[in-house]
Amino acid sequence: MSLSFSPQAVLVDLAGVLHIDDQPIPGALEALRRLRASGLPLCFLTNTTRSPRRAVVAMLRGMGFELDAPEVLTAVLATRTLIRQRGLQPYTLVHPDIVEDIGPSAQAPDAVVLGDAGAHFTYERLNEAFRLLMQGKPLIAMARNRYFREKDGLSLDMGAFVSALEYSSGVQAEIVGKPAMAFFHAALALLGVGPQVVVLIGDDVEDDVGGAQRAGIAGVLVRTGKYRPGDESRTAQRPALVVDDFSAAVEAILARV
Amino acid sequence: MSLSFSPQAVLVDLAGVLHIDDQPIPGALEALRRLRASGLPLCFLTNTTRSPRRAVVAMLRGMGFELDAPEVLTAVLATRTLIRQRGLQPYTLVHPDIVEDIGPSAQAPDAVVLGDAGAHFTYERLNEAFRLLMQGKPLIAMARNRYFREKDGLSLDMGAFVSALEYSSGVQAEIVGKPAMAFFHAALALLGVGPQVVVLIGDDVEDDVGGAQRAGIAGVLVRTGKYRPGDESRTAQRPALVVDDFSAAVEAILARV
């Protein structure tokens, strides 16, 4: 398989594509250098909402990846933009580390904003959010990922808790990060290109690849991170390309440039 | 409105129908006495999975209700029966108080059993359950109620956490308590009657009334507990009767006996 067009920009998912936890995926450091050398504009996308962008960039640089904060679009920052645009004063059920990006909970909230609070998802806080939803407040979720890969196995991602609140309240969440089309469109706007000349590299067949393809962007699925055998045939719309890892994805892209 | 047949047995939901927290609903104590005096066999149903049957019965007696343990069918006991019938050794994510009814978690679990752990639903325990589901173990949930009424408002019930695990794992839960038909059939078996001569009194239009009616039992909806205005027209199949409270439901039943 190969790409059917010449890409003019590349979107790169982070966790599971460039690294797992604090370890680069083999070959990824060198592959990113080769991609950089091509001069193609890059945008790094992440639904990770346990860390502020500052920490995400610092962690990647610490592993040896070359990237700058303005190239990184996080679901947290996209959520902050949305909250400000609408003038909302939300109750924020988020990880304490991202309060610096999203702000504290309001005294009299008019919305519920959910991030991946991880171990900070307690019954008490979920119930506070639930009660606001039952009063008719809207639910804004930074993402609805199912799970992510950690060193010791797959772990529950925030989508579980979005579903929990939706089920009990009957309120449907608005999703800000991947796979929301608006998130991919925000990335295209940063790059100044249209979807038809862009490639996304991701390990999540639904939220990365499926989301990108619904936004008109060719999705390349890598068999690292949260990839599990059979993923490539799990969705109605197949990935544009399936390769072993980031390094192979870069090779396929550079072969067409 | 009135009942269209002469009932020969009555199923009674507990929380929200007879009591809210530790307070009897006005008129319910006296109404249960009148119902008892009619000689109709009774079965009390509860999806409450935060307390063992012993404690449920003690709490109701403490409020002045006359009932015996064998008349009470709980989702916990129905789950224990199911586990034993299938010879399962489950991981049990449940409230510590019901370990006496359901047993401790197995060392090498072959299934996941979920009860309403309340504040004991932690990220860590949910993630343990999630990882077993990702290994292909089945998910058995005592109930999937959306919420219940407490003194200070509606609170998240275990259905939220069933949905959370289902969403992230892709595994569909088997529900043991209401509204599962098997649960209502177990109650009919205890009473030794067929569904067509039985009335259920409940405050949950979906799990009590809807579940009973799918099992062929006439459902009477009371406007107490978790009832919210408009509930009676929320489901495709309407309740057989809608009355203000348990006392009015008993009156309607006794008018037909």
Side-chain angles (χ1 to χ4, degrees):
Chain A
M1 287 204 296
S2 66
L3 285 173
S4 60
F5 66 97
S6 179
Q8 291 173 31
V10 183
L11 307 182
V12 182
D13 177 46
L14 293 174
V17 174
L18 292 188
H19 69 100
I20 291 173
D21 288 330
D22 56 0
Q23 293 297 317
I25 285 177
L29 284 171
E30 176 53 28
L32 182 58
R33 266 182 230 118
R34 287 201 307 277
L35 187 57
R36 286 264 182 226
S38 74
L40 287 173
L42 307 180
C43 180
F44 300 89
L45 303 181
T46 177
N47 270 14
T48 300
T49 61
R50 287 193 189 186
S51 310
R53 179 166 70 176
R54 184 182 53 74
V56 169
V57 171
M59 180 191 65
L60 287 159
R61 282 203 184 138
M63 290 183 228
F65 290 105
E66 291 155 18
L67 81 177
D68 293 314
E71 292 177 310
V72 178
L73 182 61
T74 75
V76 181
L77 294 174
T79 304
R80 185 178 64 184
T81 301
L82 182 146
I83 290 170
R84 288 182 180 170
Q85 280 168 350
R86 297 189 191 165
L88 293 172
Q89 305 289 329
Y91 173 82
T92 54
L93 175 36
V94 300
H95 197 285
D97 288 352
I98 67 151
V99 172
E100 69 177 70
D101 272 359
I102 203 78
S105 279
Q107 290 292 325
D110 54 14
V112 173
V113 164
L114 219 66
D116 182 12
H120 302 270
F121 275 123
T122 61
Y123 179 82
E124 193 191 348
R125 297 208 65 196
L126 287 164
N127 204 37
E128 282 183 71
F130 167 71
R131 289 181 171 189
L132 289 167
L133 300 179
M134 293 303 273
Q135 290 166 21
K137 316 295 187 208
L139 175 59
I140 297 165
M142 294 187 188
R144 69 173 310 145
N145 293 61
R146 287 174 165 77
Y147 49 79
F148 61 98
R149 183 172 288 284
E150 292 192 288
K151 273 183 207 148
D152 61 344
L154 297 177
S155 285
L156 273 181
D157 208 330
M158 65 169 291
F161 301 93
V162 177
S163 290
L165 289 174
E166 285 183 334
Y167 177 76
S168 284
S169 69
V171 173
Q172 182 77 24
E174 174 179 359
I175 307 300
V176 181
K178 299 177 288 179
M181 268 211 264
F183 191 69
F184 292 100
H185 290 157
L188 295 178
L190 284 175
L191 294 168
V193 291
Q196 68 287 347
V197 293
V198 176
V199 168
L200 168 131
I201 307 172
D203 64 326
D204 186 321
V205 72
E206 288 172 353
D207 293 342
D208 295 335
V209 173
Q213 300 207 155
R214 279 189 294 279
I217 297 164
V220 176
L221 180 67
V222 291
R223 298 193 187 92
T224 55
K226 76 178 61 167
Y227 171 85
R228 285 157 50 104
D231 274 355
E232 53 269 64
S233 43
R234 199 162 286 167
T235 49
Q237 204 189 351
R238 301 297 162 90
L241 200 61
V242 185
V243 296
D244 278 350
D245 56 16
F246 181 68
S247 180
V250 168
E251 214 165 296
I253 288 166
L254 297 182
R256 295 289 316 195
V257 172
Chain B
M1 285 204 295
S2 67
L3 285 172
S4 60
F5 66 97
S6 178
Q8 291 173 31
V10 183
L11 307 182
V12 182
D13 176 46
L14 293 174
V17 174
L18 293 188
H19 68 100
I20 290 172
D21 288 328
D22 56 358
Q23 293 298 317
I25 284 176
L29 284 170
E30 176 53 27
L32 182 59
R33 268 181 229 118
R34 288 202 306 277
L35 187 58
R36 285 265 181 226
S38 74
L40 288 174
L42 307 180
C43 180
F44 300 89
L45 303 181
T46 178
N47 270 16
T48 300
T49 62
R50 288 193 189 185
S51 311
R53 178 166 71 175
R54 185 183 53 74
V56 170
V57 171
M59 180 191 64
L60 287 159
R61 283 204 184 135
M63 291 182 228
F65 290 105
E66 290 156 18
L67 80 177
D68 293 315
E71 293 177 308
V72 178
L73 182 62
T74 75
V76 181
L77 295 173
T79 303
R80 185 178 65 184
T81 302
L82 181 146
I83 290 170
R84 287 182 180 170
Q85 281 168 348
R86 297 189 191 166
L88 294 171
Q89 306 289 328
Y91 173 82
T92 54
L93 175 36
V94 299
H95 196 284
D97 287 351
I98 67 151
V99 172
E100 68 176 70
D101 273 359
I102 204 77
S105 278
Q107 289 292 323
D110 53 15
V112 173
V113 164
L114 219 66
D116 182 12
H120 302 270
F121 275 122
T122 60
Y123 179 82
E124 193 191 350
R125 298 209 65 197
L126 287 165
N127 204 36
E128 281 182 71
F130 166 72
R131 288 181 171 190
L132 289 166
L133 300 179
M134 294 302 275
Q135 291 166 21
K137 316 293 188 211
L139 175 58
I140 297 165
M142 295 187 187
R144 69 173 312 146
N145 294 60
R146 288 174 164 76
Y147 49 80
F148 62 99
R149 183 174 290 282
E150 292 191 289
K151 274 183 208 150
D152 61 345
L154 298 176
S155 285
L156 273 181
D157 207 331
M158 65 170 291
F161 301 93
V162 177
S163 290
L165 289 174
E166 284 183 336
Y167 177 77
S168 284
S169 69
V171 173
Q172 182 77 23
E174 174 179 359
I175 308 300
V176 181
K178 298 177 287 178
M181 268 210 264
F183 191 69
F184 292 100
H185 290 156
L188 296 177
L190 284 174
L191 292 167
V193 291
Q196 68 288 347
V197 292
V198 176
V199 168
L200 169 131
I201 306 171
D203 64 326
D204 186 321
V205 73
E206 288 172 354
D207 293 342
D208 295 335
V209 173
Q213 299 207 154
R214 279 189 294 278
I217 297 164
V220 176
L221 180 67
V222 291
R223 297 193 187 94
T224 55
K226 77 179 61 169
Y227 171 85
R228 283 155 51 104
D231 274 357
E232 53 269 63
S233 44
R234 199 161 288 168
T235 49
Q237 205 189 351
R238 300 297 161 91
L241 200 60
V242 184
V243 296
D244 277 350
D245 55 17
F246 180 67
S247 181
V250 167
E251 215 166 293
I253 288 165
L254 297 182
R256 295 288 318 194
V257 173

